[in-house]
Amino acid sequence: MLFLRSEGGRVEKRLFMRQSVINIQGRRIAVFSFNTAVVGSGAAGFNAADRLFDFGQTDIAVITEGIDMGTSRNTGSDKQTYYKLTLAGGGADSVLDMARTFFDGGCMHGDLALCEAALSARCFCKLADIGVPFPHNRYGEYVGYKTDHDPRQRATSAGPLTSRFMTERLEARVKAKNIRIFDGYKVIGIVTDNGACKGLLALNKSCLNDADDMFVLFNCTNVIFATGGPAGLYSRSVYPESQTGASGIAFEAGAKGRNLTEWQYGIASVKFRWNLSGSYQQVLPRYVSTDADGGDAHEFLDEYYPDARTMLDGIFLKGYQWPFDSRKIENYASSLIDILVHHEIQNKGRRVFLDFLHNPSALRPDFGNLGEESYTYLKKSGAFQSAPIERLMHLNRPAVELYRNNGIDLTKEMLEIAVCAQHNNGGLAVNCWWETDVRHLFAAGEVAGTHGVYRPGGSALNSGQVGSTRAAGYIAKRYADDPLPDADFAKITERSVTSKIELAHRFLSNKTGRDVSEIRTEIGNRMSKHAAHIRKASDIKAVKDRAMMQAADIAEQTVLKSPADLIAAFENVDLLIAQQVYAAAMEDYIADGGGSRGSCIVHDENGACNVPGLSDALKFTPDNGRFSGKVQEIRYLPSGCEIYWSAVRPIPDNDDWFENVWRDYLNDEIV
């Protein structure tokens, strides 16, 4: 029911959703009923709710484990990028050109590429209009710069905290519209019936000591899943510790995964999780290796490079080319640095730091041994100061203040780093309205598998806004039905979620086992060691098999210190399902002959490792685009996963005549 009232001439909308109680296994469980539930409180989730309301579907709510949690609000880089259509200058650009950039990254469906390009300007301009401080010149042009895998200068930034600004401004709009936010609810199951989503089961984090009140059901016609990537899969991670993801329960509900083999990994700080791209590298810090106790400190990159210029240019280019790229290892290209950092940590058992206090010993005081690109950039930027920290303060003071605000003073201490998981290019398979193959279940943001092998830096923020807009538009037009009557929902729910309720009881009653945090660490260490940017077929299979075994009796392995640990226990369940699916996808790709591509290398005994001193385990063979015209999709089954390969859908060839489009639009034939 929607109630409108006027205050001082202003019309205000207020929503009253249906609330009831049903009985399941002798427990009285609260049920909230409305048309659409948005799960997640990041930029994609809040935009979905905001768009739904503006499109006329106001019977909605946002459900979040914690409104201040998640990646959008808590991550960034030196200059976090938003990728958009060119909106400045005289350089040629078009929707089709931008779609081709996405599509040419490989393994991306053309209709999704076209959607992300077509809605780019619309979504970006909305963010600018609601107060996200994207810079423009005095004439209103949003001037761009070039980012990785970007053939033009489409990138822009509001600074290190671009996605936080987006989230905060979108949250303010949602709250101004009085959209209900269920804050403190952990979704642990998706209610389905006959291949369609019917609702959600959640734990109320404030009532975990009460067996009757801890469970809450949401009876809804639609769900927009905006839970971010499966961040908890990796222990070496840039994702904030507050995010674990929820991909496992979507797989469990029948949603297929797409391109799960494709991730981004890169050099990041570990004490405070943050990408070390852009100016953090362009100011040319020292790379220092120490023993486990911090002793025996020495520079180590120059042990592998033929000369100072090649090494220094590699460090500088690491700023532009931050994600690890299997194509940028040979001939001393920038991703060799990632390999060397990993080698020090994983194979030698050492620690690695960036030192902004001292120049690399190879750097001449006059900067004369830099390559042309590095030298020109620093000269034009006026960044020939005597130490990296001085250059960083000159180029990007907020990048220094960011660490200071998080307990690390780069003017006084070195910064510990590792090669970390940063973004999943794959995710849940969606169509061009961002609906999964579970009807009425949509996915938006990183949880949606819309990217291919390579994507321009910052395109993930664009994708989250486009996907949530597309999902909201479809729901408002085509899925406006009321939720099920309580009696019908109760019948479906008892079949669908009884096992989750029983699992919670087993967790709470078990008295022997390991702490949930110990199990979480084990899950993350498996992926970081064997299924990150360096992969080997036998190791991947071991990851999958161990995850399946662990999931089979997870309640008996786990002991909770208190009922509050129930949240982490269910997160482990979710991650173990996700780990099985992701590892199975990687295993299948390698078994089918897939080589090294994107942000990973696949061990190949017959391959090459052209860097002296590195392990034979780093032998690999480039894929060379062999699989770029295919998409891998995977469906979870407890007994094993079903995997499908299909050709990518081409970019739609639209010869649109305005009068025809106008007629279709007026006749409601667009959606």
Side-chain angles (χ1 to χ4, degrees):
M1 178 189 300
L2 187 65
F3 174 68
L4 287 79
R5 65 185 178 89
S6 178
E7 280 188 8
R10 177 172 60 89
V11 175
E12 181 177 308
K13 296 181 179 181
R14 290 191 180 277
L15 178 68
F16 293 91
M17 63 192 67
R18 190 170 83 233
Q19 183 174 352
S20 57
V21 175
I22 64 175
N23 284 282
I24 296 180
Q25 291 189 329
R27 288 185 172 87
R28 289 170 52 83
I29 299 179
V31 180
F32 296 91
S33 302
F34 38 84
N35 174 267
T36 300
V38 178
V39 186
S41 55
F46 278 132
N47 187 61
D50 188 44
R51 291 289 197 186
L52 279 165
F53 196 95
D54 287 349
F55 292 159
Q57 180 51 265
T58 56
D59 189 18
I60 59 178
V62 175
I63 303 169
T64 176
E65 180 185 357
I67 201 167
D68 293 325
M69 299 168 66
T71 295
S72 295
R73 197 183 297 267
N74 295 294
T75 61
S77 59
D78 79 307
K79 188 170 62 178
Q80 191 181 23
T81 297
Y82 190 104
Y83 195 69
K84 51 148 188 57
L85 194 71
T86 302
L87 297 175
D93 201 359
S94 71
V95 167
L96 185 56
D97 282 347
M98 188 174 182
R100 286 185 180 128
T101 298
F102 293 141
F103 184 76
D104 289 347
C107 303
M108 183 174 188
H109 285 308
D111 52 351
L112 299 180
L114 185 59
C115 289
E116 294 196 355
L119 271 71
S120 164
R122 177 184 181 184
C123 291
F124 173 78
C125 289
K126 173 191 172 179
L127 293 170
D129 285 345
I130 67 175
V132 179
F134 291 113
H136 58 79
N137 65 18
R138 63 187 299 184
Y139 306 105
E141 294 177 288
Y142 286 93
V143 178
Y145 57 88
K146 196 170 184 178
T147 185
D148 45 294
H149 309 308
D150 173 19
R152 304 195 183 276
Q153 291 183 317
R154 296 184 179 124
T156 187
S157 174
L161 304 175
T162 299
S163 62
R164 178 181 295 182
F165 293 150
M166 291 166 57
T167 304
E168 290 172 345
R169 296 312 305 149
L170 290 164
E171 177 191 347
R173 285 177 64 85
V174 167
K175 288 182 173 178
K177 293 169 178 172
N178 295 308
I179 296 171
R180 177 73 179 268
I181 299 174
F182 288 84
D183 192 5
Y185 290 78
K186 177 72 175 181
V187 175
I188 61 171
I190 298 173
V191 180
T192 60
D193 185 54
N194 292 324
C197 176
K198 299 296 182 181
L200 301 162
L201 174 67
L203 289 170
N204 184 340
K205 293 173 68 175
S206 65
C207 297
L208 295 177
N209 288 307
D210 191 318
D212 288 326
D213 292 338
M214 70 167 62
F215 295 105
V216 177
L217 283 162
F218 297 96
N219 172 19
C220 38
T221 307
N222 310 289
V223 169
I224 299 179
F225 217 54
T227 55
L233 278 180
Y234 289 93
S235 57
R236 290 182 190 147
S237 172
V238 186
Y239 292 97
E241 293 181 359
S242 62
Q243 185 187 339
T244 57
S247 301
I249 62 172
F251 295 140
E252 186 180 42
K256 287 193 293 188
R258 176 187 294 151
N259 285 345
L260 301 188
T261 55
E262 307 309 312
W263 287 75
Q264 283 190 345
Y265 308 94
I267 293 171
S269 53
V270 295
K271 181 179 176 183
F272 166 61
R273 296 181 172 189
W274 205 256
N275 292 347
L276 290 166
S277 58
S279 50
Y280 289 116
Q281 304 290 339
Q282 289 158 335
V283 299
L284 303 175
R286 284 201 316 159
Y287 275 76
V288 176
S289 171
T290 77
D291 61 26
D293 298 322
D296 186 31
H298 65 274
E299 297 179 61
F300 65 97
L301 294 186
D302 50 7
E303 300 171 19
Y304 300 93
Y305 283 86
D307 56 68
R309 174 172 293 189
T310 304
M311 182 189 76
L312 294 170
D313 286 353
I315 297 173
F316 176 85
L317 289 173
K318 187 80 269 184
Y320 287 130
Q321 302 166 358
W322 178 81
F324 174 74
D325 186 346
S326 60
R327 302 175 303 184
K328 295 184 175 71
I329 299 173
E330 296 184 310
N331 300 316
Y332 302 99
S334 60
S335 286
L336 175 60
I337 294 176
D338 303 74
I339 291 291
L340 297 176
V341 169
H342 176 81
H343 182 60
E344 290 290 312
I345 296 170
Q346 188 67 47
N347 300 329
K348 295 173 130 185
R350 295 176 65 82
R351 299 165 67 187
V352 177
F353 297 81
L354 285 188
D355 176 12
F356 292 95
L357 302 176
H358 306 93
N359 286 320
S361 59
L363 181 64
R364 279 177 19 192
D366 63 355
F367 298 87
N369 58 341
L370 292 179
E372 181 180 356
E373 184 174 5
S374 309
Y375 184 89
T376 300
Y377 176 88
L378 293 175
K379 182 179 180 180
K380 284 188 173 182
S381 301
F384 280 160
Q385 290 79 14
S386 61
I389 188 61
E390 295 172 8
R391 297 192 285 274
L392 188 57
M393 290 288 285
H394 173 77
L395 285 174
N396 194 348
R397 183 180 293 268
V400 179
E401 294 171 348
L402 174 79
Y403 274 97
R404 184 178 291 119
N405 293 337
N406 286 277
I408 299 172
D409 189 345
L410 299 182
T411 69
K412 297 179 180 178
E413 60 185 298
M414 295 195 299
L415 184 65
E416 187 164 11
I417 66 172
V419 181
C420 299
Q422 185 260 350
H423 188 274
N424 186 199
N425 282 1
L428 303 182
V430 296
N431 64 17
C432 70
W433 295 102
W434 270 248
E435 186 177 18
T436 72
D437 55 336
V438 177
R439 299 188 310 279
H440 296 272
L441 175 63
F442 295 77
E446 189 182 348
V447 74
T450 57
H451 304 293
V453 179
Y454 296 98
R455 63 174 182 84
S459 59
L461 293 183
N462 173 70
S463 180
Q465 296 303 289
V466 170
S468 50
T469 299
R470 294 283 289 181
Y474 192 89
I475 288 169
K477 278 284 188 181
R478 296 291 180 259
Y479 283 170
D481 295 344
D482 290 334
L484 291 171
D486 288 347
D488 293 341
F489 182 67
K491 292 178 183 177
I492 292 171
T493 301
E494 187 151 16
R495 293 196 306 268
S496 185
V497 303
T498 296
S499 62
K500 296 281 186 180
I501 295 172
E502 291 175 345
L503 179 58
H505 177 72
R506 288 164 57 201
F507 274 128
L508 291 167
S509 60
N510 191 50
K511 300 303 180 184
T512 60
R514 295 187 294 160
D515 183 76
V516 289
S517 61
E518 184 181 345
I519 295 172
R520 174 72 53 79
T521 298
E522 181 184 340
I523 294 170
N525 286 346
R526 278 200 297 265
M527 289 292 284
S528 285
K529 185 174 182 180
H530 300 300
H533 64 296
I534 299 175
R535 303 174 187 170
K536 186 176 182 180
S538 58
D539 292 338
I540 296 292
K541 183 180 186 304
V543 169
K544 181 197 71 177
D545 292 346
R546 177 58 183 152
M548 290 181 67
M549 290 175 59
Q550 202 163 13
D553 61 350
I554 186 62
E556 287 67 38
Q557 295 181 42
T558 305
V559 62
L560 308 184
K561 294 178 181 177
S562 72
D565 282 345
L566 194 58
I567 298 295
F570 271 101
E571 288 173 347
N572 287 347
V573 173
D574 181 272
L575 289 171
L576 286 169
I577 293 173
Q579 190 167 81
Q580 293 176 57
V581 181
Y582 276 82
M586 294 176 187
E587 180 186 32
D588 175 76
Y589 172 76
I590 297 172
D592 280 359
S596 300
R597 70 179 188 184
S599 207
C600 82
I601 60 175
V602 177
H603 174 68
D604 181 0
E605 284 290 348
N606 299 315
C609 178
N610 296 323
V611 182
L614 292 188
S615 167
D616 286 344
L618 295 177
K619 287 182 177 180
F620 69 96
T621 302
D623 176 67
N624 293 326
R626 178 184 171 193
F627 283 80
S628 61
K630 298 180 180 180
V631 166
Q632 182 205 60
E633 293 188 348
I634 183 168
R635 188 185 301 281
Y636 166 76
L637 296 170
S639 58
C641 295
E642 297 177 345
I643 298 175
Y644 320 84
W645 287 88
S646 60
V648 296
R649 299 188 295 268
I651 297 174
D653 184 13
N654 296 322
D655 185 17
D656 287 327
W657 187 255
F658 178 80
E659 278 71 14
N660 294 336
V661 173
W662 191 12
R663 183 182 61 252
D664 290 344
Y665 183 83
L666 293 175
N667 292 334
D668 193 21
E669 296 175 358
I670 300 298
V671 177

